[in-house]
């Protein structure tokens, strides 16, 4: 099942997600990027119905860009979170988006912030959070190990511990993850954690007859 | 809408490239009571004459200066009823913005949306342009701001401006008196003096209206008692 994790430090935020694309018992691919870069200083990690996930995150991204074109200034992270929640809420009683979102952003006046938005339009401003079955393991790990003044390295280490736990303890666990960070210099991919690959040599080793 | 004989736009271009209805709207503004605004270093003041048709009118029931949001206020010259319609629309737009983003609307964006409404009424069927020019005063993250919006929908940012009957004298007076580093209280005095210049009759705390916004970002309309204090300082 899909996992998204988020952690915020004083002046940066980390969003990590698994990179599996699964349908029933089939793994379509193991390198699907589910953490969308909304704009220069925002990340949106999303999990849920695959079509809805892409559709919804792209919709939010394009609306953010439109706002910036119209008004020459980017939307703040808080405003983005409320806008996203509003869109989920409006669609909820008609044609719901089955998408859970962790939104991370950096604003010059506020610093780094992290938001939890679930598919029924719950909005929370958080310091750490997670979606999916993996959250059952990650949330308690983060409760124990998180500190508000963590450095980037310590935060990524915490995320790595969460990934390790998911790989170890979740049945049918996603093996590969992507980690992205947003800070004053922008939002970008930090690292991938790969355990298994799509490419042929690793998928099915040929043994000598 | 499409079948009516009058569904064409009433603002059609004249051969000289003008929209005559807008020119007439500006004339309506120009014959309205004088209003003005001054942007100071730490706030904005807007003011207007409040000449009532008779001494029997209850002046406390007339409010020419209105707040659009807690941190944005507006005054007008021209037709009062048209002003009320625009105030109503602008207030709704500000609230819709807040509902969408849970953030207060920036002054420039409210000005732009109000101007867009006024422009619509120059290009739609069966309507006429608004017979008002607005002076919008606000204080947001970009500091104190003052904007004028015309019946055509064009808007301008001003350091100080005036509209209505006495516009040319008032603007000349303001050009002489305005300084970049003016404090708000100086600006209020200057606003009163400017109104006084063109006022026919005796100015008092009951026949002018003043609205201010300081760095606390709360727009307020001064009470007659507060106006009286400023008037006394001026005299």
């Amino acid at each position: 099942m899909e996992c998204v994790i988020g952690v915020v430090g004083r002046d940066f935020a980390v969003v990590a997600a698994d990179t599996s694309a699964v349908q029933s018992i089939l793994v379509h691919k193991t390198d699907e990027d589910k953490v969308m870069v909304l704009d220069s200083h925002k990340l949106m990690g999303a999990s849920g119905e695959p079509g809805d996930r892409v559709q919804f995150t792209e919709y939010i991204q394009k609306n953010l860009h439109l706002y910036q074109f119209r008004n020459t200034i980017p939307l703040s992270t808080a405003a983005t979170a409320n806008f996203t929640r509003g869109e989920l809420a409006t669609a909820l009683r008609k044609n719901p988006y089955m998408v859970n979102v962790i939104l991370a952003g950096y604003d010059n006046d506020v610093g780094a912030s992290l938001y939890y938005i679930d598919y029924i339009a719950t909005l929370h401003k958080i310091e750490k959070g997670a979606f999916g079955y993996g959250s059952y393991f990650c949330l308690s790990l983060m409760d124990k190990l998180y500190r508000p003044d963590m450095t980037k390295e310590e935060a990524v280490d915490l995320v790595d511990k969460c990934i390790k736990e998911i790989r170890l303890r979740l049945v049918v666990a996603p093996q590969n993850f992507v980690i992205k960070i947003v800070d004053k210099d922008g939002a970008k991919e930090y690292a991938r954690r790969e355990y298994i690959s799509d490419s042929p040599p690793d998928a099915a080793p040929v043994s000598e007859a | 809408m499409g079948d009516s004989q009058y569904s064409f736009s009433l603002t059609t271009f004249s051969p000289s490239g003008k929209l005559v209805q807008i020119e007439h709207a500006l004339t309506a503004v120009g014959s309205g009571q004088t209003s003005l605004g001054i942007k100071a270093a730490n706030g904005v003041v807007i003011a207007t004459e409040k000449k009532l048709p008779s001494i029997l009118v209850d002046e406390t029931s007339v409010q020419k200066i209105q707040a659009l949001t807690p941190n944005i206020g507006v005054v007008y010259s021209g037709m009062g009823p048209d002003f009320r319609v625009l105030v109503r629309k602008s207030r709704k737009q500000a609230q819709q913005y807040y509902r969408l983003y849970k953030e207060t609307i920036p002054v420039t964006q409210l000005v732009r949306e109000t101007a867009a409404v006024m422009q619509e009424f120059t290009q739609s069927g069966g309507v006429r342009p608004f017979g008002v020019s607005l002076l919008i005063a606000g204080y947001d993250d970009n500091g104190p701001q003052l904007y004028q919006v015309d019946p055509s929908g064009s808007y301008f940012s001003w350091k100080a401006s005036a509209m209505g009957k006495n516009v040319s004298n008032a603007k000349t007076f303001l050009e002489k008196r305005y300084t970049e580093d003016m404090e708000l209280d100086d600006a209020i005095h200057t606003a009163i003096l400017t109104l006084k210049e063109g006022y026919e009759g005796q100015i008092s705390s009951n026949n002018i209206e003043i609205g201010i916004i300081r760095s606390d970002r709360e727009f307020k309309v001064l009470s007659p008692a507060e106006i009286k204090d400023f008037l006394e300082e001026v005299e």
Side-chain angles (χ1 to χ4, degrees):
Chain A
M1 211 250 144
E2 301 185 354
C3 309
V4 184
I5 308 165
V7 169
V8 70
R10 196 175 325 121
D11 51 4
F12 70 93
V14 184
V15 179
D18 75 280
T19 57
S20 66
V22 169
Q23 201 111 28
S24 169
I25 55 166
L26 174 68
V27 176
H28 283 298
K29 60 195 296 223
T30 55
D31 60 355
E32 171 82 357
D33 186 353
K34 299 178 200 165
V35 183
M36 175 165 278
V37 177
L38 292 183
D39 71 12
S40 63
H41 288 75
K42 290 184 192 57
L43 291 171
M44 180 177 272
S47 71
E49 199 73 51
D52 282 355
R53 173 171 54 77
V54 173
Q55 192 76 346
F56 183 72
T57 52
E58 280 187 4
Y59 176 66
I60 300 296
Q61 186 194 55
K62 297 322 169 201
N63 270 284
L64 275 197
H65 288 178
L66 179 61
Y67 185 98
Q68 191 159 357
F69 279 128
R70 276 187 178 147
N71 303 308
T72 71
I73 49 160
L75 206 52
S76 67
T77 307
T80 308
N82 278 289
F83 172 70
T84 306
R85 189 215 75 85
E87 290 300 312
L88 288 166
T90 309
L92 181 61
R93 304 283 181 184
K94 290 195 172 122
N95 188 14
Y97 293 104
M98 304 300 287
V99 185
N100 299 309
V101 154
I102 298 264
L103 173 69
Y106 184 89
D107 308 289
N108 284 324
D109 48 353
V110 171
S113 40
L114 193 69
Y115 289 88
Y116 168 109
I117 312 170
D118 75 8
Y119 74 104
I120 43 175
T122 309
L123 172 65
H124 291 304
K125 187 171 187 299
I126 52 171
E127 303 205 298
K128 53 203 185 321
F131 276 115
Y133 285 125
S135 68
Y136 288 107
F137 307 107
C138 300
L139 285 172
S140 30
L141 258 178
M142 291 195 280
D143 280 345
K144 181 83 181 172
L145 299 171
Y146 173 82
R147 283 176 345 275
D149 56 350
M150 288 171 105
T151 63
K152 281 201 195 81
E153 290 69 32
E154 288 169 333
V156 171
D157 190 58
L158 174 55
V159 168
D160 277 332
K161 289 193 165 80
C162 294
I163 292 173
K164 190 173 167 193
E165 202 63 19
I166 291 170
R167 280 174 175 164
L168 181 61
R169 291 297 181 186
L170 186 54
V171 69
V172 204
Q175 298 299 320
N176 297 350
F177 289 78
V178 63
I179 303 176
K180 296 197 182 179
I181 296 192
V182 60
D183 61 14
K184 67 170 174 19
D185 299 321
K188 51 191 171 310
E189 186 172 307
Y190 178 84
R192 297 246 174 175
R193 301 293 187 231
E194 284 199 357
Y195 205 71
I196 204 160
S197 159
D198 274 349
S199 57
D202 300 308
V206 179
S207 54
E208 301 291 318
Chain B
M1 180 93 166
D3 282 339
S4 163
Q5 271 190 306
Y6 300 101
S7 68
F8 54 86
S9 167
L10 294 175
T11 43
T12 47
F13 279 108
S14 71
S16 58
K18 291 204 208 135
L19 287 164
V20 191
Q21 278 296 301
I22 294 179
E23 306 284 319
H24 294 334
L26 285 165
T27 310
V29 170
S31 53
Q33 290 182 11
T34 311
S35 63
L36 57 90
I38 304 175
K39 180 171 70 174
N42 59 341
V44 193
V45 55
I46 48 178
T48 181
E49 300 176 350
K50 192 164 71 166
K51 285 224 186 83
L52 297 166
S54 146
I55 54 165
L56 292 175
V57 175
D58 176 4
E59 73 271 6
T60 58
S61 72
V62 177
Q63 266 219 325
K64 290 183 73 177
I65 300 185
Q66 296 277 350
L68 296 179
T69 70
N71 65 323
I72 304 175
V74 63
V75 72
Y76 74 101
S77 281
M79 300 168 65
D82 283 11
F83 173 68
R84 285 200 300 274
V85 168
L86 278 172
V87 164
R88 211 174 143 79
K89 282 192 201 277
S90 299
R91 282 173 174 163
K92 191 169 181 190
Q93 279 165 336
Q95 291 309 313
Q96 281 170 338
Y97 184 99
Y98 186 80
R99 195 156 159 266
L100 201 51
Y101 300 114
K102 273 278 197 315
E103 274 186 1
T104 51
I105 188 168
V107 181
T108 44
Q109 290 189 40
L110 185 56
V111 167
R112 192 143 21 92
E113 291 190 23
T114 307
V117 168
M118 291 170 86
Q119 192 280 342
E120 271 170 41
F121 281 70
T122 69
Q123 211 178 4
S124 301
V127 299
R128 61 161 176 82
F130 288 94
V132 288
S133 279
L134 306 173
L135 271 175
I136 298 180
Y139 202 122
D140 65 9
D141 289 338
N142 294 60
Q145 290 157 78
L146 178 66
Y147 286 91
Q148 175 178 341
V149 193
D150 277 347
S152 59
S154 43
Y155 57 93
F156 322 90
S157 175
W158 289 97
K159 299 177 198 174
S161 182
M163 318 182 301
K165 261 190 278 230
N166 203 32
V167 59
S168 42
N169 287 340
K171 276 197 179 168
T172 318
F173 192 87
L174 285 170
E175 273 170 32
K176 291 208 193 92
R177 293 272 178 144
Y178 182 80
T179 62
E180 295 276 340
D181 51 3
M182 239 174 166
E183 296 269 308
L184 185 60
D185 290 299
D186 296 327
I188 297 174
H189 291 139
T190 307
I192 293 175
L193 285 169
T194 315
L195 277 180
K196 223 173 156 201
E197 272 292 294
Y199 203 91
E200 290 161 18
Q202 176 71 326
I203 202 172
S204 85
S205 55
N206 287 322
N207 52 29
I208 59 171
E209 248 181 66
I210 301 180
I212 60 166
I213 182 160
R214 299 185 188 275
S215 50
D216 61 0
R217 304 196 188 185
E218 289 197 5
F219 181 79
K220 59 180 285 214
V221 180
L222 296 183
S223 67
E226 289 164 318
I227 297 182
K228 194 153 176 282
D229 290 335
F230 280 107
L231 268 174
E232 278 162 11
E233 284 169 28
V234 161
E235 263 142 29

